[in-house]
Amino acid sequence: MAKARTTKKKKADPGVRKHIRTFWKIFGGLIALILLVFILASWGVFGSLPDETSLENPEKNLATQIIGSDGETLGTFYKENRTPVKYEDLPDHLVNALIATEDVRFYDHSGIDAKGTVRAFVFLGTKGGASTISQQLAKLFFTEQVSRNKFQRGLQKIKEWIIAIRLERRYTKEEILTMYFNEYDFLNQAVGIQSASMIYFSKQPSEISTVEAATLVGMFKNSSLYNPLKNPIGVKNRRNVVLAQMAKYDYITDEVKDSLQALDLNIRYSPQGHDEGIATYFREYARAFMADWVKENPKSDGSKYDIYSDGLKLYTTIDSKMQAYAEQAMDMHMEKLQEEFDSQNKKNKTAPFRDITPEETNKILDAAMRRSDRWREMNKQGKSEKEIIDSFKEERKMRIFSWKGDIDTVLTPLDSIRYYKGILQASLMSMNPQTGEVKAWVGGIDYKHFKYDMVKTGQRQIGSTFKPFVYATAIDQMHMSPCDTLPDTPYTIPQGKYGLLEPWTPKNSGAISGKHLSLRSALAQSINTITARLIDRVGPEPVIELVNKMKVDTEDIPPVPSIALGTPDVTLYEMVGAYSTFANQGVYIKPTLIQRIEDKNGTVLYQNVPETKDVISDETAYVTVSLMEGVTQSGSGSRLRHTWRGGDPVYKKAVTGYPYGFTNPIAGKTGTTQNNSDGWFMGMVPNLATGVWVGGEDRATHFNSTSYGQGATMALPIWALYMQKCYEDESLNISTSEFEKPSKISIATDCEKWKAENSGGEIPDEFDL
């Protein structure tokens, strides 16, 4: 019998066992040390960690949004131009691009990617980092300054890991992705994906394409390095890396990847500074409104809202399309009008001024110097008046406004003042007369260069646009009809009456006809003699009372008959509100701009309540509107209806877009002030009242002739171009209907019918209806 073979076990070398035990002790000690460091860090030994409140509300410095009535963002107030979006607003290809490039195991880890961390340790980061999206978000939220000290940076990393885990416990994966997109700074005032999409591609995040999404995701690596404005080649290369990652993880096919990588960047840079963009003058009004509002409406804890960082939302009445049409109309006409103005000034030795002495010119320039920022700054520095004045005569490099684009030039500051005095200014306001909602607000021709708002702040003489208030008073008090006639003959109000120091005998802008004119014809032709007769019949006080009820500031309007011809200084804002009363059946409604204010969570903090007031009867309002329809049918506004150009050189040189060919009912009134300093046009259709003013900063800046300086040439074309654009956009539903007629009306408005009934169809030659 064979003997079984036994195998003797060999004892392990005591030295090897010692090394193994040492290894495990060291390894265990390292693990314990790491755990200890994490525990100590979580206790705040190495610096404080964010508390629960901070984790619940990590987003900070959220821009206040100004939102139009059509839902479009008009602008923002910000320390950081950040507007948060929701996860639903992020297209799938944008999210996929981020995950494929930054954190492919994002949905599998709980804040720390163990596999990526081990790989980073083993290969010292040469085969990719280990930072997850959650860790990067923690860094964005709570690491104010990345330390250059390796030890300190290591502690920061540990705290970021702890915060990342906490964020993962508190938020869903979708919420973390959304916060990361909202928080990242894409540079060039583009903080967050909303601003970045708008600034770089002029699109909402939901509208960007796959290749555009890859461009933005590529910037997450280092937006300072991959800046589309400074490093387009680097940005394109990085974009292509993102596309390759998307193909690698099957988010797109290789064929799609190859086709997209061949595309150009196609950056459409649209800066969103406070001087750029749409509705700049209105946005400044909104800022002032908010500054006042926050003073009177503190938070529940007593602190004040910060309009630059609390993420408020201002819902406004401005329609972004109508605002754009208004700005386009103004630009089109003012560029052409300025060209003609400059051409006429080439032989004007006192340009840009007219009809003033050298002493008066110097007075204007000196006043402008003393109001300038340069004067204020040098005065603060303790400079003498002589030193300051001398500095205005020293040439220096500067950039000045022109309609062809800003010009880099060399001028003295004094010459630049004279140059700017020669730039014609303009303003427009458009509102719905039934609701009071202001749909467009253009306070000037260029906010960057001309900050003064001529809608609500600037007061100018209103000329003949004041006459409808005189006629309305006569209709209201005396039951006069548009068909009633008065003689167009010289008329004098004697000295002493209404406190006059001397007799007042107004002249017409043209010849006195000697005929009897209907009120319709008199207003259409803007006949001063008949307006003088009317205000003498009703008295100046009732007219002032009427416009005061329409919220025109009457404190500085004297009760004298000359106001009938438009001597008062009034704002465009007041004029549009007052005219809207006629289109709203005699009810004044205060122009509304801010509908409501919400906090970042959607809680309503302010809700506008319309302010209305019955001013005149619906009959008086309708009859006045009927009178103003005559202005556009046969008077100074009739060029709105022309369908032919004609041979008048004024139309070719200064009436932009003419002929206009409007056929729908339009009530309106032109206005021209003395020396052609101001041109006005107030025009209404049943659901839109719009006013336009054009003139120089100083009244001495004006055209030499009424042909060019009248409201029908300076202001009316802007109204016409704006309305054409509004009518072309059928989604706006701008009315082409007749003005609503009261159910009961006793005053005749159909003068042809009235003529037949009162004169047997015949009327003497000296009468003109």
Side-chain angles (χ1 to χ4, degrees), residues 725-744:
K725 292 175 184 294
C726 288
Y727 278 125
E728 288 169 4
D729 189 339
E730 295 181 359
S731 68
L732 298 176
N733 295 316
I734 305 303
S735 176
T736 57
S737 303
E738 299 282 348
F739 288 89
E740 184 176 353
K741 190 174 183 178
S743 57
K744 294 182 180 180

Side-chain angles (χ1 to χ4, degrees), residues 367-381:
M369 275 197 304
R370 294 174 186 275
R371 290 195 305 268
S372 68
D373 291 337
R374 172 183 294 277
W375 187 285
R376 283 194 293 271
E377 288 300 317
M378 294 187 73
N379 191 46
K380 284 181 183 177
Q381 296 169 12

Side-chain angles (χ1 to χ4, degrees), residues 221-379:
K221 185 173 181 65
N222 183 341
S223 57
S224 296
L225 176 61
Y226 298 109
N227 183 335
L229 304 186
K230 295 183 178 180
N231 183 16
I233 295 175
V235 171
K236 183 177 180 180
N237 291 338
R238 180 61 185 166
R239 178 204 70 183
N240 289 347
V241 169
V242 175
L243 292 170
Q245 287 294 104
M246 293 181 74
K248 177 179 178 181
Y249 294 106
D250 297 325
Y251 289 117
I252 58 175
T253 64
D254 287 333
E255 290 77 11
V256 170
K257 177 203 72 173
D258 293 339
S259 64
L260 295 181
Q261 286 181 335
L263 297 176
D264 292 332
L265 281 179
N266 288 324
I267 298 295
R268 292 179 293 281
Y269 180 60
S270 303
Q272 291 187 346
H274 297 303
D275 289 350
E276 291 94 12
I278 195 172
T280 46
Y281 290 92
F282 168 72
R283 280 154 44 194
E284 187 55 36
Y285 164 84
R287 187 205 306 273
F289 177 94
M290 287 302 297
D292 291 336
W293 182 84
V294 297
K295 292 177 184 176
E296 303 298 327
N297 298 273
K299 297 179 182 179
S300 57
D301 63 2
S303 62
K304 289 184 179 180
Y305 285 100
D306 188 331
I307 65 172
Y308 300 102
S309 63
D310 278 343
L312 302 176
K313 293 182 180 180
L314 275 71
Y315 290 89
T316 75
T317 61
I318 299 293
D319 184 288
S320 67
K321 290 187 289 186
M322 295 177 74
Q323 179 69 31
Y325 299 152
E327 293 180 9
Q328 291 164 15
M330 183 176 289
D331 290 349
M332 288 172 63
H333 179 60
M334 292 307 296
E335 180 176 1
K336 185 171 185 176
L337 192 69
Q338 185 68 50
E339 184 179 354
E340 178 60 25
F341 185 72
D342 292 342
S343 176
Q344 293 187 19
N345 266 327
K346 287 179 180 178
K347 296 181 181 180
N348 176 17
K349 294 181 180 179
T350 60
F353 311 117
R354 291 184 183 273
D355 307 322
I356 60 173
T357 65
E359 291 76 16
E360 289 171 321
T361 298
N362 291 334
K363 188 176 180 180
I364 290 173
L365 296 176
D366 184 71
M369 275 197 304
R370 294 174 186 275
R371 290 195 305 268
S372 68
D373 291 337
R374 172 183 294 277
W375 187 285
R376 283 194 293 271
E377 288 300 317
M378 294 187 73
N379 191 46

